[in-house]
Structure formats: structure tokens, C-alpha cells
């Protein structure tokens, strides 16, 4: 893998820390700004909605710029809004900073995904995607627990300052390592790239990605209150639990990236089934600390192993949309990241308790498996289809 690809992962690490760190900060933000826990959890949804809208929009806008210029511009905006978020006393302003930061993050990730695959070629696209997403999983392993620890020691604002400071070396790394290149010229028109969404295989891949990611974020957003209220561990365990989930996600991306190039169907079918059963087991065993901690690790691995494989398959399926494919994948996965916390917060708000988001996660993965099965069945019946339908059918 090119060294520049690992440096892109550094920037993704900073942004992933920001996206996920609220899982350990939701109770403190709610208490400090005088809002409910579900309202504070909606900050994750606000970020995800910004990612959904921003991914195709920013990717389309970036067609006019060099890829290095686009990446640097998005990083600069991302850094600035975190400074604003760190000093505001208004929940409304904080929500606004999350949306703007998400737009910048979406643009960066959409361009970075296409840049990463372009560095190595489609034959190694799965590994390139997993290398880039390694920054996200490293954020779960290191950044998110560190943010939770900073929040416990010096308040949630310290975590926002830390992300802003972390973005500075990412700017230098991108400026020095990513080739300047030129604006995307000679590419298909924007309208032609958007027409690729008519491809039913791409639509299925994006829908499955949204469902799996919704399941992941539905539980992940509310891990802190789940651990303290249901598992009955002290607040000091929250960074440990987040680190376990992150360690599992790092393992899932590392293994999934290699298998995605050879046997994506096996990864997604077997991993998806195990993921669904794992969420159900977690909901049942959440009150038993040893079992719950083990399942946090396992579910992190399965969630990101399946998720990263779906990203690589979506990018491959959208090969006729060279500048927007990253935007499509980013948007779909953040539809899930917006839907999941909202569904989990709705379940909690309805008085179903802090186990309820885990049951919702199990149901979302079950819907994804049913959708994949129906799509595969339809594909097998289509005239001229291949004997063995490849994922995502």
C-alpha cells in the first residue's frame, strides 16, 4: 500500500474520533447544556445527516478542484468548527457545528475513498478501502476512549479541543503526501454518474450498508448509559468498553479487507448472520459484565468487518461513477448512522430501557439479511443471470 494512503488514514482518524466520540460524552453534554440524553444522542444523528447530504454534494463540488486541494479545504473547515463547538454554550450552535463538520468530513471521505482506490487500482480496492477505514477503527480503539477519558477529567469540551489539535498534523500530512494532481477532467458528466444509481445491484449494496450501519450506531451511541445503568459497571469502565468495541472493529476491518477481494459473499452472509445473533445475545446478556464485555469486542469486529466489505462492494459496483462513488457509499452508510441513534433514542424515550437499542440493532440486521436474500432470489430468476450470484446479488 502506498505510504500516502496511510497518511490519509491519519486524517480519517481525526474525523472518526469526532464522529464517534459522543458515545462517551452524551450524558455529560446533556447535563451541561440542559437537554435530555436522547436529545444529546441526536447530535450523532445531526452529524450523520450532514454526512448524508454532504457526501454526494461535496463530491460533486470537488470535481472542480484538485484532489489535494479538496482534501485540504475540507480539513480546514472541519478544524474550525470544532473550535467553535468547544467554546459554545448553546446546544443549537453545537448542533450546527456538527452538521457543518459533517459536511466537511463527508467531502473529505468521499474524495479520499476514490483517491485511495485510484492509488492501487480496482484489484486491490478492498485492501485500500480497509486501510483507509483503519483510521476510523483506530479512532474507536484510541480516539473515542481517549475522548471519553478527557470528558471525565476536564469536561466534554476538552474532547472537542483535542480533535481540533489532532487535525493540525493531518493537514500537514495531506499537504505533503497526497499528489497535487488536477481537477477531475475527462470524467463522465455529473448526470451520467448519477445515472449509475439505476443499477439495482448498487442500490441493494447501499441499502444493506445503511441497515448494517444503523444497527451499529443504534447500540454504539448508547453504550455509555447501557454500561452504567444495565451492566452496572462504574463510569470508569466506559472508556474500556469503547476501546473493546474499537479493538474489535479494527480486527474486523483488517480481516474483512482481505477477504472482501476473494469471498465477499461468504463474509457478508456468514458475518451478517453472526452479527444478528450477536446483537440478540448482547441484549439478553447485557446485565452480565463478563459476557457483555466479550460481546462488545465480537460485535465491533462483525459490524465493521461486514460494513467495510459492503463499502468495497459498493465502490466496485459504482465503477462508472468515478468521482461520486465515494459519495454514494459515504451517504448510504451515514443514512444508517443517522437512523440508528434516532431509533435507539426513540426506544429509550418510549420507556423501553437501555437494552432496547440493542434489540433494535438485531432487528435491523435481520431486515438486511432478508433484503439480501430477496435480492439474491430475484437475481437468480432474472433472464441471463449467472449461475452463482455474487454479492450483493
Amino acid at each position: 500500500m502506498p505510504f500516502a494512503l496511510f497518511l490519509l488514514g491519519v486524517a480519517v482518524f481525526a474525523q472518526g474520533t469526532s464522529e464517534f466520540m459522543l458515545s462517551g460524552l452524551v450524558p455529560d453534554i446533556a447535563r451541561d447544556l440542559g437537554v435530555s440524553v436522547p436529545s444529546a444522542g441526536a447530535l450523532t444523528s445531526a452529524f450523520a445527516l450532514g454526512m448524508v447530504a454532504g457526501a454526494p454534494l461535496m463530491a460533486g463540488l470537488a470535481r472542480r478542484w484538485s484532489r489535494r486541494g479538496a482534501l485540504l479545504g475540507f480539513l480546514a473547515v472541519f478544524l474550525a468548527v470544532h473550535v467553535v463547538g468547544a467554546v459554545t454554550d448553546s446546544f443549537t450552535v453545537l448542533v450546527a457545528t456538527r452538521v457543518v463538520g459533517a459536511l466537511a468530513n463527508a467531502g473529505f471521505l468521499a474524495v479520499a475513498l476514490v483517491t485511495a482506490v485510484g492509488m492501487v487500482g480496482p484489484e486491490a480496492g478492498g485492501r485500500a478501502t480497509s486501510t483507509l477505514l483503519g483510521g476510523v477503527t483506530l479512532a474507536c480503539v484510541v480516539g473515542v476512549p481517549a475522548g471519553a477519558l478527557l470528558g471525565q477529567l476536564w469536561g466534554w469540551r476538552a474532547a472537542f479541543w483535542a480533535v481540533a489539535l489532532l487535525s493540525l498534523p493531518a493537514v500537514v500530512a495531506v499537504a505533503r503526501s497526497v499528489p497535487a494532481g488536477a481537477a477531475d477532467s475527462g470524467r463522465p458528466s455529473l448526470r451520467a454518474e448519477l445515472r449509475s444509481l439505476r443499477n439495482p445491484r448498487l442500490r441493494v449494496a447501499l441499502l444493506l450498508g445503511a441497515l448494517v450501519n444503523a444497527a451499529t450506531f443504534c447500540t454504539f451511541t448508547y453504550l455509555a448509559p447501557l454500561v452504567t445503568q444495565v451492566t452496572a459497571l462504574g463510569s470508569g469502565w466506559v472508556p474500556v468498553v469503547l476501546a473493546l468495541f474499537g479493538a474489535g472493529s479494527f480486527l474486523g476491518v483488517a480481516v474483512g479487507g482481505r477477504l472482501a477481494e476473494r469471498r465477499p459473499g461468504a463474509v457478508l452472509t456468514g458475518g451478517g448472520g453472526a452479527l444478528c445473533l450477536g446483537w440478540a445475545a448482547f441484549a439478553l446478556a447485557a446485565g452480565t459484565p463478563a459476557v457483555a464485555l466479550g460481546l462488545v469486542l465480537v460485535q465491533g469486529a462483525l459490524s465493521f468487518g461486514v460494513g467495510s466489505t459492503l463499502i468495497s462492494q459498493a465502490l466496485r459496483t459504482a465503477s462508472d461513477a468515478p468521482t461520486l462513488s465515494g459519495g454514494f457509499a459515504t451517504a448510504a452508510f451515514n443514512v444508517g448512522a443517522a437512523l440508528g441513534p434516532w431509533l435507539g433514542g426513540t426506544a429509550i424515550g418510549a420507556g423501553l430501557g437501555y437494552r432496547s437499542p440493542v434489540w433494535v440493532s438485531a432487528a435491523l440486521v435481520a431486515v438486511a439479511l432478508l433484503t439480501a436474500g430477496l435480492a439474491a432470489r430475484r437475481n437468480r430468476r432474472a433472464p441471463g443471470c449467472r449461475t452463482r450470484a455474487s454479492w450483493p446479488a
Side-chain angles (χ1 to χ4, degrees), residues 286-387:
T288 306
V291 178
L293 292 175
L295 284 170
V296 165
L297 178 69
V298 170
Q299 292 305 99
L302 290 171
S303 294
F304 277 81
V306 172
S308 65
T309 303
L310 280 167
I311 287 179
S312 66
Q313 290 300 298
L315 291 173
R316 183 175 298 177
T317 305
S319 58
D320 54 347
T323 57
L324 291 186
S325 56
F328 294 156
T330 301
F333 274 74
N334 282 280
V335 167
L339 180 64
W342 178 76
L343 289 173
T346 299
I348 294 170
L352 299 179
Y354 287 115
R355 291 178 193 254
S356 58
V358 193
W359 283 116
V360 174
S361 294
L364 287 166
V365 178
V367 172
L369 290 171
L370 178 62
T371 300
L374 292 173
R377 183 177 181 182
R378 181 199 61 201
N379 220 39
R380 285 193 296 268
R381 290 181 173 180
C385 70
R386 288 172 292 177
T387 303

Side-chain angles (χ1 to χ4, degrees), residues 5 8 12 71 106-119 132:
L5 187 54
L8 281 176
V12 173
L71 294 171
F108 183 92
L109 187 56
V111 175
L113 282 169
V114 175
T115 302
V117 175
M119 287 179 179
L132 189 65

